[in-house]
Amino acid sequence: MTVFEQVRSAVDMRTVAEGYGLHIDRGGMTLCPFHDERTPSAKIYPDNLHCFGCGAHVDVIGFTQKIFGLDKPIDAVKKLNDDYGLHIDIGKAPTAKEVSEYQKRVQEKHEYEVWEKSAWRTLNDYLWLMREWRQYAPASPDEKCDERFVYSLHHLDYAEHLCLEFINFNKAGRISMKNIVEQIADFLKNMRADF
């Protein structure tokens, strides 16, 4: 495990970008610091920044090196280490404990990313199901209401709210929705079995 890997696992792109002055909107978009623009064209992902305008694609180290005009990536590592108090011993091989902790963080990060994608898919499927069920509206006042239509009347706003919350929440907020996501996943599974 190199000091580069240690830095990348210790601090995420959004934290670094905001820490160095970028203003990021709820959708993760920001003005690209590498070219002049009036409309945000750079997207902040957990591991990198990608600009759809100029094509820049950098991780936290490349971003720091480029924004501060540093000569070498190791200079960016040193700056990040100092600025964010990462306590990485540069030039010293990591201990077995540090390697183990790093591997644990990488595994946890991977597990979270898998869960996050699955959770978003679940919430999005729920939202679209509520929208689809609106098609079961009675054609006339005398026609009996389909249960799916009635359910969607009561839950469409809730489904939209959950999706917006998931988009706007940070990692901790999304994890706090875990039980709700599991309940919705069970509901969807039962609906697929019933229909």
Side-chain angles (χ1 to χ4, degrees), residues 9-171:
S9 70
V11 65
D12 65 277
M13 189 70 237
R14 185 178 188 111
T15 301
V16 171
E18 287 179 331
Y20 291 147
L22 295 190
H23 298 285
I24 304 166
D25 69 19
R26 289 183 178 184
M29 298 298 291
T30 185
L31 292 172
C32 180
F34 307 125
H35 75 281
D36 290 332
E37 64 180 3
R38 292 190 176 138
T39 305
S41 65
K43 174 79 172 173
I44 302 293
Y45 296 97
D47 297 328
N48 61 67
L49 172 148
H50 179 77
C51 179
F52 297 97
C54 69
H57 187 86
V58 291
D59 63 5
V60 293
I61 296 169
F63 175 83
T64 304
Q65 182 181 356
K66 197 166 181 177
I67 203 164
F68 290 102
L70 303 172
D71 290 333
K72 300 175 185 171
I74 193 69
D75 297 329
V77 165
K78 291 174 183 176
K79 180 159 183 55
L80 288 163
N81 192 33
D82 292 341
D83 291 350
Y84 290 93
L86 304 180
H87 306 293
I88 295 170
D89 289 326
I90 297 172
K92 177 183 163 193
T95 65
K97 181 181 177 186
E98 289 170 337
V99 170
S100 176
E101 288 172 359
Y102 169 77
Q103 290 170 338
K104 181 181 176 187
R105 283 195 308 272
V106 168
Q107 180 63 29
E108 288 171 353
K109 182 178 178 184
H110 174 72
E111 288 171 1
Y112 170 76
E113 288 171 353
V114 168
W115 174 83
E116 183 183 60
K117 287 177 185 174
S118 173
W120 172 248
R121 194 168 31 254
T122 297
L123 294 174
N124 196 43
D125 287 352
Y126 181 63
L127 173 61
W128 282 102
L129 183 65
M130 293 304 98
R131 289 178 176 163
E132 287 173 11
W133 281 4
R134 290 296 176 103
Q135 71 180 331
Y136 298 108
S140 70
D142 298 329
E143 188 179 330
K144 183 181 178 200
C145 282
D146 187 291
E147 291 177 19
R148 291 170 288 187
F149 173 71
V150 174
Y151 188 92
S152 74
L153 284 176
H154 294 283
H155 293 89
L156 178 59
D157 288 343
Y158 177 61
E160 289 173 345
H161 169 75
L162 289 176
C163 287
L164 284 173
E165 289 291 297
F166 197 83
I167 289 168
N168 293 326
F169 274 159
N170 60 16
K171 180 179 176 180

